[in-house]
Amino acid sequence: MTAKDLSKDEFFYGHKACAGCGGSLAVRNALKVIGKNAFAVLPAGCMSAVGFNFPQLCFANNAIISTFAGTASMLTGIEAGLRAKGITDFTSVGFAGDGGTADIGIQALSGTIDRNDNILYICYDNEAYMNTGIQKSGLTPFGAKTTTTPAGKNIHGNIRPKKNMFEIVSAHNIAYSATASIGYMEDFMNKVKKACGISGTKYIHVIAPCPTGWGIPVSDTVEISREIVDCGLWYLAEYENGEFTLNHDPKEFTDIAEYLKKQSRFRHLTDEDIQIIIKSRDAKWEKIRRDWRR
Amino acid sequence: MAKKFLSGDEAFAEGVRLARPQVISAYPITPQTIVVERLSEMVENGSLKSEFIHVESEHSALSCAIGASAVGARAFTATSSQGLLYMAECLPYASGGRFPIVMMNANRSTALPWNIYGDQRDSISQLDSGWIQAYAENAQEGLDFALMSYYIAEHKDVSTPFMVNLDGFVLTHTYETVDIPIQELADKFLPPYETDNKLDLENPKNMAFSAGPEHNYIFKYKEHKALLNAKKIIKDAEKRFADIFGRKYTGLLETYRTEDADYILITLGSIAGLCREIADKLRAKGKKTGVVRLRYLRPFPTEEIVTAVKNAKAVGVLEKDISFGSEGTVFTNVNSALFQGGIVIPSYNFIGGLGGKNISHEDIENIFYLIENGAERVNFVGIEGGD
Amino acid sequence: MKPYLREKKNFGFSDIPESTSFEAGYLVSVNSGWRSIRPVVNMEKCVGCMQCYLYCPDGVISVENKKAVIDYNFCKGCGICHKICKLNAIEMEAER
């Protein structure tokens, strides 16, 4: 899919997301791919906070806020309810952030995948609880400074790596899962489109930077979400029919230090810290290149 | 109409079958489990056409039911005790969104200490969640509530979720002969669910949104009014029910020999039968005793209580609940009604049945004795070793 | 299909719906006040490649007659369009 193939309809419009918000771009374009028959569920979090302030209601399609933990279970209920009423031409799609997915919502998500309910779950990952003011989530990367993982003399930000949601979800033997980045928009849109054509549970994990939380200029959201892929700290991949496939295999990674130093959340990192990040990237890619289809 | 020998749980499941919910999402918990087991059997054998969702928790059970209700489907769930508390976040969500979900709750003690037996602390702790709360006395009433609850909850003047409470084990696991209405009459009683409060392809909606201070309180006011509206709709539902099925119910509460009673015991749930038995026994000895059974705690029968006890000399409230550091919550509510009705008589609170502790004939005789002769404001029934 | 600005902006008691359910895509306020800089399309340079349209988080850019058109009511001035444009056809100018 390219820009030309996209619907001209705008479904997510007039919202109060911060300027340059990556999450809102992910939601906007996913809905343009899915179309007007999307029933969107958004848990308490950034995208619901900016899109649903009565009487300013920013979704042109059917959309509803769920409890923080209840994105996946509400998707299940909507899908079952519509089916019970004989409605078949729709997509039950969820948009939850990293905390709503990897932390508080992981139980309901696991249940939905276990039942193989026919829904699409999109995690827009901005790597911390941004809506409440940049607190650490289970998807905050190693070394990142957040308001609950301060960078001081003793501790250099977050001491734990990101949870591997893509592989956790895939380990359920899910019908389809994929990783994406809003910096590679066509790839993301293709995956959304592909997911819409698959029956069962689909999960797409899309990196969607938050300029405020990452400490970058608001104009740099797209650029940084390309760089995270180019330096190897994120990868574009898919899981279906029991197999992992790497979609994009960079011949050479760009400089991790350069990627990190652009963001104020990483600016405190020492050379040793950066070496840890490089080693962990290399170990991951060694496994990916050994085990996944390319 | 077929007569069957059923437990409270099984009778309730029969009532749910007759109500034709389109989505059932529930998680097992003792002593509710039998309800979801029977419902899944009904779905399997085709006697109930419904989507049965095997959710992974109670939070998801109600969240899923909310999702189903948000597209206009009739939804059912059931839980108990820890499960009710685990889904607690979703309770005001369902009522605030005005989703007329029906939930059966098997009243059970809450940990700690762990205990699977019946008391009413679970549901009473959620009185302020915005749900209609009803308490059945026997399996037949449970079944009938299953049908009536949907009629009341889905009525456009109410549009509020409905929690039907059955005492754990005493009611959920005790067998009695139950009349099961035929489906044709059940369908006549309960029309299919129609609403505008739904996501709709023809008429897209944004739902469950935020509302700031300038609007929020208006939503809450309307929610309160809807629960008050339920008082009238409960009457209508019972009249309709009696017309179709021949069984009569008495609204928010049921009185027994209260007209000329000096001493009235107010209670709720399955213990009411024993209370009436003791009232009869004491009447035979010349004591003018009566019983009020609260069938609903929300909406609360304020005026009805005033009418029932206005000539009494003293009242007692027997409940399987305690708001620690204060008194039983039913007692608080009853006292508020007495005060509003200008009734100045002694009232005493009897906390009994916690964690399934048996309430005996003697206990209730003693309660009536204390109502007549005076007691502490709050009394733990049968407590030994206290001061 | 797109959420759009409505005439009715104030909601009193009787306008408030009974439940938390309302018409989709109902807008009562614009976002133009957020901007300190605004993107301006150079019509000479713009070839209508749609990259700015594709990457706008607010969806405020459309391409009409092969030229980018910006809805300044809802543009927040983030400048992603300016960065993404390979032809330098979008300049950021200070709001007056």
Side-chain angles (χ1 to χ4, degrees):
Chain A
M1 278 195 100
T2 67
K4 288 187 180 60
D5 307 317
L6 268 183
S7 158
K8 290 212 161 39
D9 292 335
E10 293 292 346
F11 297 101
F12 188 36
Y13 198 79
H15 55 75
K16 305 295 181 186
C18 307
C21 167
S24 64
L25 177 56
V27 172
R28 173 196 168 221
N29 282 355
L31 286 174
K32 283 164 78 77
V33 173
I34 298 164
K36 65 179 170 54
N37 287 4
F39 285 74
V41 175
L42 301 99
C46 283
M47 289 308 109
S48 59
V50 304
F52 285 92
N53 293 295
F54 177 83
Q56 178 97 350
L57 300 168
C58 305
F59 288 87
N61 57 298
N62 283 296
I64 183 168
I65 306 182
S66 73
T67 56
F68 205 1
T71 315
S73 43
M74 186 180 266
L75 286 167
T76 293
I78 285 175
E79 195 275 336
L82 288 171
R83 199 154 31 84
K85 289 167 70 75
I87 299 165
T88 52
D89 186 17
F90 68 90
T91 301
S92 184
V93 58
F95 296 99
D98 42 289
T101 299
D103 295 341
I104 197 168
I106 195 170
Q107 174 178 318
L109 174 59
S110 176
T112 295
I113 304 170
D114 175 44
R115 294 184 299 270
N116 198 28
D117 294 331
N118 190 19
I119 62 104
L120 168 57
Y121 189 109
I122 297 177
C123 169
Y124 63 94
D125 181 4
N126 53 29
E127 304 198 317
Y129 289 93
M130 298 309 185
N131 190 43
T132 43
I134 324 167
Q135 292 81 29
K136 179 212 177 292
S137 81
L139 295 181
T140 301
F142 173 82
K145 180 181 78 176
T146 70
T147 54
T148 51
T149 54
K153 267 191 210 143
N154 300 308
I155 307 173
H156 300 177
N158 181 27
I159 59 170
R160 294 287 301 153
K162 259 174 110 73
K163 259 193 218 181
N164 191 337
M165 271 311 288
F166 172 54
E167 289 178 54
I168 291 169
V169 158
S170 302
H172 290 69
N173 199 17
I174 192 170
Y176 177 75
S177 64
T179 59
S181 164
I182 58 155
Y184 287 89
M185 187 53 77
E186 284 90 350
D187 174 76
F188 172 55
M189 296 188 316
N190 282 331
K191 286 169 174 169
V192 173
K193 189 165 171 57
K194 181 171 178 177
C196 288
I198 294 171
S199 175
T201 309
K202 289 81 62 177
Y203 174 86
I204 299 176
H205 192 123
V206 59
I207 290 288
C210 165
T212 316
W214 289 27
I216 54 167
V218 294
S219 58
D220 290 2
T221 310
V222 173
E223 209 169 275
I224 203 82
S225 41
R226 285 179 183 164
E227 284 179 46
I228 190 174
V229 174
D230 297 344
C231 77
L233 286 180
W234 191 243
Y235 43 83
L236 307 179
E238 288 173 296
Y239 174 90
E240 59 183 323
N241 305 319
E243 291 210 65
F244 288 98
T245 305
L246 181 67
N247 305 125
H248 172 72
D249 191 0
K251 284 197 178 66
E252 206 177 330
F253 294 126
T254 55
D255 186 5
I256 276 190
E258 203 175 307
Y259 165 78
L260 297 171
K261 293 290 180 188
K262 279 182 183 164
Q263 306 171 48
S264 68
R265 62 175 178 157
F266 291 124
R267 214 156 278 156
H268 60 279
L269 294 182
T270 62
D271 290 345
E272 291 78 39
D273 296 329
I274 294 173
Q275 281 310 313
I276 293 171
I277 295 172
I278 291 171
K279 272 193 185 142
S280 132
R281 172 198 66 186
D282 292 345
K284 181 69 202 166
W285 278 89
E286 197 185 322
K287 279 188 187 151
I288 288 176
R289 286 174 170 142
R290 187 188 66 209
D291 299 336
W292 295 4
R293 300 200 315 186
R294 280 184 274 165
Chain B
M1 201 97 70
K3 280 194 192 296
K4 274 192 182 173
F5 193 58
L6 296 176
S7 70
D9 273 347
E10 290 170 332
F12 200 90
E14 287 294 338
V16 172
R17 181 175 59 77
L18 292 170
R20 300 184 187 270
Q22 290 159 302
V23 176
I24 298 168
S25 51
Y27 187 79
I29 179 169
T30 304
Q32 161 267 66
T33 311
I34 295 163
V35 178
V36 293
E37 287 175 353
R38 289 302 157 278
L39 289 171
S40 46
E41 285 166 17
M42 291 169 187
V43 170
E44 189 280 330
N45 69 27
S47 63
L48 170 59
K49 195 173 174 305
S50 184
E51 299 298 329
F52 191 100
I53 313 290
H54 301 90
V55 283
E56 83 302 325
S57 75
E58 288 90 353
H59 191 283
S60 282
L62 190 48
S63 170
C64 177
I66 291 170
S69 188
V71 294
R74 182 172 288 164
F76 175 75
T77 186
T79 191
S80 178
S81 179
Q82 308 298 122
L84 182 70
L85 300 187
Y86 193 59
M87 67 165 64
E89 182 198 10
C90 300
L91 293 172
Y93 212 89
S95 54
R98 308 290 295 278
F99 298 117
I101 296 158
V102 169
M103 169 158 65
M104 179 248 177
N105 179 59
N107 279 126
R108 167 183 149 179
S109 183
T110 59
L112 283 170
W114 281 99
N115 179 298
I116 60 165
Y117 300 105
D119 69 38
Q120 294 154 342
R121 289 187 301 118
D122 54 357
S123 56
I124 292 177
S125 77
Q126 301 304 314
L127 267 189
D128 293 347
S129 65
W131 285 54
I132 296 169
Q133 277 204 12
Y135 291 77
E137 182 181 346
N138 54 47
Q140 183 71 61
E141 192 180 21
L143 184 152
D144 294 347
F145 263 138
L147 263 177
M148 264 188 284
S149 58
Y150 277 107
Y151 182 88
I152 297 158
E154 292 174 359
H155 192 286
K156 63 174 176 43
D157 294 343
V158 179
S159 196
T160 292
F162 197 123
M163 185 192 302
V164 185
N165 293 282
L166 275 69
D167 281 316
F169 290 105
V170 178
L171 197 43
T172 58
H173 285 59
T174 303
Y175 281 72
E176 56 183 279
T177 304
V178 176
D179 270 343
I180 303 173
I182 59 167
Q183 186 69 56
E184 196 184 341
L185 287 183
D187 291 345
K188 190 177 165 195
F189 173 77
L190 182 64
Y193 177 40
E194 295 292 341
T195 182
D196 294 330
N197 184 26
K198 65 174 179 186
L199 302 168
D200 184 357
L201 283 177
E202 300 304 313
N203 185 18
K205 295 274 177 57
N206 287 180
M207 289 179 73
F209 43 66
S210 306
E214 73 275 31
H215 299 129
N216 198 288
Y217 74 115
I218 300 174
F219 284 98
K220 294 295 108 182
Y221 177 82
K222 292 187 176 188
E223 190 181 334
H224 175 59
K225 284 289 175 191
L227 254 154
L228 295 179
N229 290 344
K231 290 185 178 188
K232 178 182 179 298
I233 307 307
I234 288 165
K235 273 188 193 151
D236 296 350
E238 288 178 356
K239 171 154 194 326
R240 187 181 169 89
F241 195 87
D243 289 347
I244 294 175
F245 304 108
R247 259 192 309 284
K248 288 183 179 157
Y249 287 100
T250 56
L252 299 182
L253 56 71
E254 182 184 73
T255 57
Y256 184 75
R257 304 184 82 166
T258 52
E259 294 78 8
D260 64 340
D262 292 330
Y263 306 106
I264 295 175
L265 180 55
I266 301 170
T267 192
L268 66 163
S270 57
I271 196 67
L274 187 59
C275 296
R276 287 195 298 266
E277 209 177 294
I278 303 302
D280 284 344
K281 190 174 161 188
L282 294 173
R283 285 250 172 195
K285 291 179 182 171
K287 302 280 184 194
K288 288 184 172 178
T289 49
V291 174
V292 170
R293 178 172 72 90
L294 305 177
R295 297 183 67 239
Y296 285 82
L297 289 188
R298 290 292 180 273
F300 193 71
T302 304
E303 297 81 9
E304 291 80 356
I305 288 172
V306 169
T307 306
V309 307
K310 64 176 188 291
N311 298 319
K313 291 178 179 162
V315 296
V317 174
L318 169 61
E319 59 187 301
K320 299 174 178 177
D321 169 63
I322 172 78
S323 178
F324 300 104
S326 177
E327 59 196 15
T329 297
V330 180
F331 184 59
T332 305
N333 281 255
V334 167
N335 278 330
S336 168
L338 297 183
F339 184 81
Q340 288 178 61
I343 297 174
V344 186
I345 52 171
S347 65
Y348 307 105
N349 195 191
F350 301 94
I351 311 296
L354 298 186
K357 175 86 162 72
N358 184 48
I359 302 172
S360 67
H361 286 66
E362 293 73 32
D363 288 334
I364 294 179
E365 279 198 49
N366 190 44
I367 286 170
F368 273 113
Y369 175 83
L370 291 171
I371 296 172
E372 182 179 349
N373 295 292
E376 299 290 321
R377 182 176 168 83
V378 179
N379 308 273
F380 268 62
V381 175
I383 196 88
E384 284 169 23
D387 52 14
Chain C
M1 193 173 186
K2 181 160 121 177
Y4 60 96
L5 272 176
R6 313 298 175 112
E7 292 279 310
K8 183 169 177 53
K9 293 182 170 55
N10 295 312
F11 285 71
F13 184 91
S14 56
D15 310 313
I16 301 285
E18 191 64 31
S19 55
T20 50
S21 168
F22 203 67
E23 190 180 338
Y26 194 102
L27 304 183
V28 296
S29 65
V30 297
N31 297 333
S32 52
W34 294 31
R35 275 196 313 270
S36 56
I37 48 174
R38 66 157 60 197
V40 176
V41 181
N42 181 328
M43 293 299 172
E44 310 272 294
K45 291 184 181 171
C46 179
V47 296
C49 74
M50 302 182 94
Q51 286 302 293
C52 55
Y53 157 80
L54 185 62
Y55 282 100
C56 174
D58 291 277
V60 300
I61 307 178
S62 52
V63 177
E64 287 158 31
N65 302 319
K66 300 207 166 171
K67 302 289 171 194
V69 179
I70 294 165
D71 178 354
Y72 289 107
N73 268 342
F74 290 100
C75 168
K76 293 168 186 156
C78 69
I80 287 176
C81 52
H82 161 71
K83 281 235 166 180
I84 214 89
C85 182
K86 286 180 181 150
L87 301 170
N88 297 318
I90 300 179
E91 284 303 326
M92 301 305 290
E93 294 179 3
E95 288 286 347
R96 279 173 296 167

PDB file of all heavy atoms in Angstrom, chain B residues 4 12 57 59 67 114 150 186 206 225 294:
ATOM      1  N   LYS B   4     -39.651 -28.492  37.917  1.00  0.00           N
ATOM      2  CA  LYS B   4     -38.404 -29.252  38.027  1.00  0.00           C
ATOM      3  C   LYS B   4     -37.820 -29.055  39.409  1.00  0.00           C
ATOM      4  O   LYS B   4     -38.054 -28.020  40.045  1.00  0.00           O
ATOM      5  CB  LYS B   4     -37.386 -28.764  36.993  1.00  0.00           C
ATOM      6  CG  LYS B   4     -37.511 -29.405  35.634  1.00  0.00           C
ATOM      7  CD  LYS B   4     -36.288 -29.071  34.785  1.00  0.00           C
ATOM      8  CE  LYS B   4     -36.402 -29.672  33.393  1.00  0.00           C
ATOM      9  NZ  LYS B   4     -35.304 -29.212  32.538  1.00  0.00           N
ATOM     10  N   PHE B  12     -31.670 -20.371  38.263  1.00  0.00           N
ATOM     11  CA  PHE B  12     -31.289 -19.088  37.680  1.00  0.00           C
ATOM     12  C   PHE B  12     -30.847 -19.269  36.226  1.00  0.00           C
ATOM     13  O   PHE B  12     -31.206 -18.479  35.344  1.00  0.00           O
ATOM     14  CB  PHE B  12     -30.189 -18.400  38.502  1.00  0.00           C
ATOM     15  CG  PHE B  12     -30.122 -16.932  38.220  1.00  0.00           C
ATOM     16  CD1 PHE B  12     -30.875 -16.039  38.970  1.00  0.00           C
ATOM     17  CD2 PHE B  12     -29.352 -16.434  37.181  1.00  0.00           C
ATOM     18  CE1 PHE B  12     -30.865 -14.684  38.681  1.00  0.00           C
ATOM     19  CE2 PHE B  12     -29.336 -15.086  36.884  1.00  0.00           C
ATOM     20  CZ  PHE B  12     -30.091 -14.201  37.639  1.00  0.00           C
ATOM     21  N   SER B  57     -10.884 -13.888  33.235  1.00  0.00           N
ATOM     22  CA  SER B  57     -11.014 -13.263  34.550  1.00  0.00           C
ATOM     23  C   SER B  57     -12.382 -12.595  34.645  1.00  0.00           C
ATOM     24  O   SER B  57     -13.064 -12.410  33.639  1.00  0.00           O
ATOM     25  CB  SER B  57      -9.943 -12.189  34.749  1.00  0.00           C
ATOM     26  OG  SER B  57     -10.273 -11.033  33.986  1.00  0.00           O
ATOM     27  N   HIS B  59     -12.776  -9.485  35.529  1.00  0.00           N
ATOM     28  CA  HIS B  59     -12.668  -8.147  34.936  1.00  0.00           C
ATOM     29  C   HIS B  59     -13.020  -8.231  33.455  1.00  0.00           C
ATOM     30  O   HIS B  59     -13.781  -7.426  32.924  1.00  0.00           O
ATOM     31  CB  HIS B  59     -11.245  -7.602  35.137  1.00  0.00           C
ATOM     32  CG  HIS B  59     -11.108  -6.140  34.803  1.00  0.00           C
ATOM     33  ND1 HIS B  59     -11.034  -5.687  33.501  1.00  0.00           N
ATOM     34  CD2 HIS B  59     -11.055  -5.037  35.589  1.00  0.00           C
ATOM     35  CE1 HIS B  59     -10.929  -4.363  33.510  1.00  0.00           C
ATOM     36  NE2 HIS B  59     -10.944  -3.940  34.763  1.00  0.00           N
ATOM     37  N   GLY B  67     -18.823  -4.583  26.216  1.00  0.00           N
ATOM     38  CA  GLY B  67     -18.597  -4.494  24.767  1.00  0.00           C
ATOM     39  C   GLY B  67     -19.807  -4.995  23.993  1.00  0.00           C
ATOM     40  O   GLY B  67     -20.258  -4.364  23.031  1.00  0.00           O
ATOM     41  N   TRP B 114      -9.930 -16.427  54.102  1.00  0.00           N
ATOM     42  CA  TRP B 114     -10.626 -17.070  52.997  1.00  0.00           C
ATOM     43  C   TRP B 114     -11.839 -17.825  53.516  1.00  0.00           C
ATOM     44  O   TRP B 114     -11.797 -18.436  54.580  1.00  0.00           O
ATOM     45  CB  TRP B 114      -9.699 -18.039  52.261  1.00  0.00           C
ATOM     46  CG  TRP B 114      -8.769 -17.340  51.339  1.00  0.00           C
ATOM     47  CD1 TRP B 114      -7.477 -17.029  51.586  1.00  0.00           C
ATOM     48  CD2 TRP B 114      -9.072 -16.844  50.033  1.00  0.00           C
ATOM     49  NE1 TRP B 114      -6.945 -16.363  50.496  1.00  0.00           N
ATOM     50  CE2 TRP B 114      -7.898 -16.245  49.538  1.00  0.00           C
ATOM     51  CE3 TRP B 114     -10.211 -16.858  49.230  1.00  0.00           C
ATOM     52  CZ2 TRP B 114      -7.834 -15.658  48.275  1.00  0.00           C
ATOM     53  CZ3 TRP B 114     -10.154 -16.275  47.974  1.00  0.00           C
ATOM     54  CH2 TRP B 114      -8.970 -15.684  47.504  1.00  0.00           C
ATOM     55  N   TYR B 150     -34.093  -8.293  33.165  1.00  0.00           N
ATOM     56  CA  TYR B 150     -33.839  -7.750  31.822  1.00  0.00           C
ATOM     57  C   TYR B 150     -34.909  -6.748  31.429  1.00  0.00           C
ATOM     58  O   TYR B 150     -34.616  -5.710  30.824  1.00  0.00           O
ATOM     59  CB  TYR B 150     -33.758  -8.879  30.782  1.00  0.00           C
ATOM     60  CG  TYR B 150     -32.398  -9.514  30.734  1.00  0.00           C
ATOM     61  CD1 TYR B 150     -32.174 -10.786  31.248  1.00  0.00           C
ATOM     62  CD2 TYR B 150     -31.313  -8.835  30.178  1.00  0.00           C
ATOM     63  CE1 TYR B 150     -30.921 -11.368  31.223  1.00  0.00           C
ATOM     64  CE2 TYR B 150     -30.054  -9.410  30.143  1.00  0.00           C
ATOM     65  CZ  TYR B 150     -29.864 -10.678  30.668  1.00  0.00           C
ATOM     66  OH  TYR B 150     -28.614 -11.239  30.638  1.00  0.00           O
ATOM     67  N   ALA B 186     -42.266 -16.529  27.958  1.00  0.00           N
ATOM     68  CA  ALA B 186     -41.105 -15.707  28.322  1.00  0.00           C
ATOM     69  C   ALA B 186     -40.855 -14.657  27.240  1.00  0.00           C
ATOM     70  O   ALA B 186     -40.566 -13.490  27.537  1.00  0.00           O
ATOM     71  CB  ALA B 186     -39.872 -16.591  28.506  1.00  0.00           C
ATOM     72  N   ASN B 206     -19.601   7.781  19.099  1.00  0.00           N
ATOM     73  CA  ASN B 206     -18.431   7.731  19.977  1.00  0.00           C
ATOM     74  C   ASN B 206     -19.000   7.538  21.374  1.00  0.00           C
ATOM     75  O   ASN B 206     -19.874   8.299  21.809  1.00  0.00           O
ATOM     76  CB  ASN B 206     -17.627   9.017  19.898  1.00  0.00           C
ATOM     77  CG  ASN B 206     -16.841   9.149  18.579  1.00  0.00           C
ATOM     78  OD1 ASN B 206     -16.137  10.128  18.354  1.00  0.00           O
ATOM     79  ND2 ASN B 206     -16.953   8.162  17.688  1.00  0.00           N
ATOM     80  N   LYS B 225     -31.434   9.590  38.496  1.00  0.00           N
ATOM     81  CA  LYS B 225     -32.864   9.633  38.160  1.00  0.00           C
ATOM     82  C   LYS B 225     -33.315   8.307  37.560  1.00  0.00           C
ATOM     83  O   LYS B 225     -34.419   7.829  37.836  1.00  0.00           O
ATOM     84  CB  LYS B 225     -33.142  10.768  37.162  1.00  0.00           C
ATOM     85  CG  LYS B 225     -33.149  12.136  37.804  1.00  0.00           C
ATOM     86  CD  LYS B 225     -34.388  12.304  38.673  1.00  0.00           C
ATOM     87  CE  LYS B 225     -34.356  13.610  39.422  1.00  0.00           C
ATOM     88  NZ  LYS B 225     -35.408  13.688  40.456  1.00  0.00           N
ATOM     89  N   LEU B 294     -36.386  -7.079  52.460  1.00  0.00           N
ATOM     90  CA  LEU B 294     -36.002  -6.132  51.412  1.00  0.00           C
ATOM     91  C   LEU B 294     -35.678  -6.945  50.157  1.00  0.00           C
ATOM     92  O   LEU B 294     -34.795  -7.800  50.178  1.00  0.00           O
ATOM     93  CB  LEU B 294     -34.785  -5.310  51.844  1.00  0.00           C
ATOM     94  CG  LEU B 294     -34.939  -4.561  53.175  1.00  0.00           C
ATOM     95  CD1 LEU B 294     -33.636  -3.835  53.532  1.00  0.00           C
ATOM     96  CD2 LEU B 294     -36.098  -3.569  53.119  1.00  0.00           C
TER      97      LEU B 294
END
